[in-house]
Amino acid sequence: MKVFKEQLALNNYLETQTVDSIGLVPTMGALHFGHLTLVDKAVKENSCVIVSIFVNPTQFDDASDLNTYPKTLEEDLQKLTPYGDKILVYAPDVKDVYPETTSSNQYTFGLLETTMEGAKRDGHFQGVATIVHKLLSGFNPTRAYFGEKDYQQLCIIHQLVSQKKLPVTIVNCPIIREKDGLAMSSRNTRLSEKERAQAALIYATLNKSIALKTSTSIEEINHIVSATFNQNPDFILDYFCIADAQSLQPITTINPSQPARAFIAVKLGGVRLIDNVNF
Ligand code: PAF
């Protein structure tokens, strides 16, 4: 498995290879089984796969979140070693990605970026779009793979690709869950044993909201979800939102012909966790 710190070196290497298609799996490292399912899919569908590992500073609005984000390059490389020559790893320093200023480009995503994560994390999606744009235009992949856990991010990336007319297929990959339903996330490693057990409440509550769908109004479901987390002082509910699956705008009534998703963000012991389900 070859590891590159510079985009130029990786592209120079690719020029010496016969490559039919390139799959890109962008990550911020702290790899878990969920990431590996993306890599597996990319390896099946492409003759060459690039896995990027880069904790992108411009998508963090909170310095302490950036500083405490798990950085585990050695372990990540070990997890990728079994893929051998099937993958190339791009693990750059900040200077290779942001040679001049470490700042975001400016994009316009309208209401897609002002709701939920966008409302809570100032500039987050500008930073995500900047790094994804740089990776897509830097490596020209045939396909790029993203998990649905960051569903709003995925919608923004589809917008980016369409606005900038980038010749890439974005592949949406399902959320991978632990046995108790907690969505796999690099942030889960920061939970204590007790918090890790408590975190199962997030997916259980999402499922409860689905179960209430036929008998209860959205207003009442919102109220029940808030009450569930208010009763448990270890959780702070950031938002719960049932929204149109495409526009991500909150819906007030259930319409069977309008695909919807339920989204949630909570803080548990200082760790911010997000999840979503088809509603
Ligand atoms: O989802 C993530 O891990 C990151 O936001 C991404 C897409 C790798 C960009 O830094």
Side-chain angles (χ1 to χ4, degrees):
M1 183 180 74
K2 291 194 162 43
V3 181
F4 297 85
K5 285 193 103 43
E6 285 160 12
Q7 184 193 306
L8 187 66
L10 197 156
N11 277 331
N12 284 343
Y13 172 77
L14 276 180
E15 273 184 18
T16 67
Q17 304 296 302
T18 319
V19 171
D20 294 331
S21 60
I22 299 177
L24 173 70
V25 183
T27 81
M28 297 208 296
L31 300 181
H32 51 68
F33 181 72
H35 289 116
L36 300 183
T37 65
L38 267 58
V39 180
D40 286 344
K41 192 165 166 61
V43 163
K44 277 200 194 99
E45 296 178 352
N46 302 277
S47 63
C48 167
V49 170
I50 301 171
V51 178
S52 66
I53 300 179
F54 179 62
V55 182
N56 173 39
T58 62
Q59 70 188 74
F60 289 82
D61 62 331
D62 175 351
S64 87
D65 192 23
L66 172 61
N67 291 336
T68 53
Y69 198 87
K71 294 169 194 83
T72 56
L73 185 60
E74 282 314 308
E75 285 103 311
D76 292 340
L77 295 179
Q78 266 169 28
K79 287 180 189 157
L80 293 173
T81 301
Y83 293 98
D85 289 344
K86 291 187 186 135
I87 68 168
L88 304 173
V89 177
Y90 173 55
D93 291 329
V94 174
K95 275 281 165 231
D96 198 53
V97 180
Y98 297 99
E100 279 146 31
T101 56
T102 310
S103 59
S104 296
N105 304 333
Q106 292 306 308
Y107 302 90
T108 307
F109 298 120
L111 294 179
L112 259 192
E113 79 163 319
T114 52
T115 184
M116 298 190 289
E117 291 303 287
K120 296 283 172 183
R121 304 179 67 190
D122 201 23
H124 172 65
F125 288 121
Q126 296 292 320
V128 169
T130 301
I131 181 63
V132 172
H133 196 179
K134 280 175 186 277
L135 292 169
L136 293 177
S137 46
F139 294 120
N140 277 312
T142 321
R143 301 179 188 83
Y145 297 78
F146 298 89
E148 286 187 335
K149 188 174 86 64
D150 296 297
Y151 192 90
Q152 188 175 5
Q153 164 173 287
L154 203 38
C155 295
I156 296 270
I157 291 167
H158 279 282
Q159 268 288 318
L160 170 76
V161 165
S162 130
Q163 283 177 13
K164 301 292 171 192
K165 299 188 172 51
L166 303 174
V168 60
T169 300
I170 300 298
V171 184
N172 297 9
C173 302
I175 299 175
I176 306 295
R177 299 185 178 281
E178 303 287 356
K179 278 206 184 76
D180 63 0
L182 178 66
M184 287 192 187
S185 163
S186 307
R187 291 172 192 266
N188 295 353
T189 57
R190 289 173 47 205
L191 298 169
S192 69
E193 209 177 310
K194 178 181 167 217
E195 290 157 358
R196 171 62 196 82
Q198 289 175 304
L201 183 65
I202 303 167
Y203 184 55
T205 307
L206 287 174
N207 279 330
K208 186 170 163 191
S209 75
I210 298 172
L212 290 169
K213 174 177 158 175
T214 49
S215 61
T216 315
S217 69
I218 289 195
E219 195 185 348
E220 185 59 16
I221 295 176
N222 289 341
H223 180 74
I224 293 169
V225 171
S226 297
T228 305
F229 289 100
N230 287 344
Q231 273 157 25
N232 190 328
D234 293 334
F235 284 95
I236 299 171
L237 179 63
D238 225 349
Y239 60 78
F240 169 76
C241 180
I242 299 169
D244 179 274
Q246 267 203 326
S247 71
L248 304 189
Q249 298 313 297
I251 57 169
T252 48
T253 49
I254 294 159
N255 174 353
S257 64
Q258 179 186 23
R261 281 187 97 83
F263 297 86
I264 194 164
V266 300
K267 282 201 193 93
L268 174 58
V271 184
R272 195 165 178 284
L273 301 170
I274 61 171
D275 200 352
N276 67 88
V277 288
N278 222 333
F279 185 77

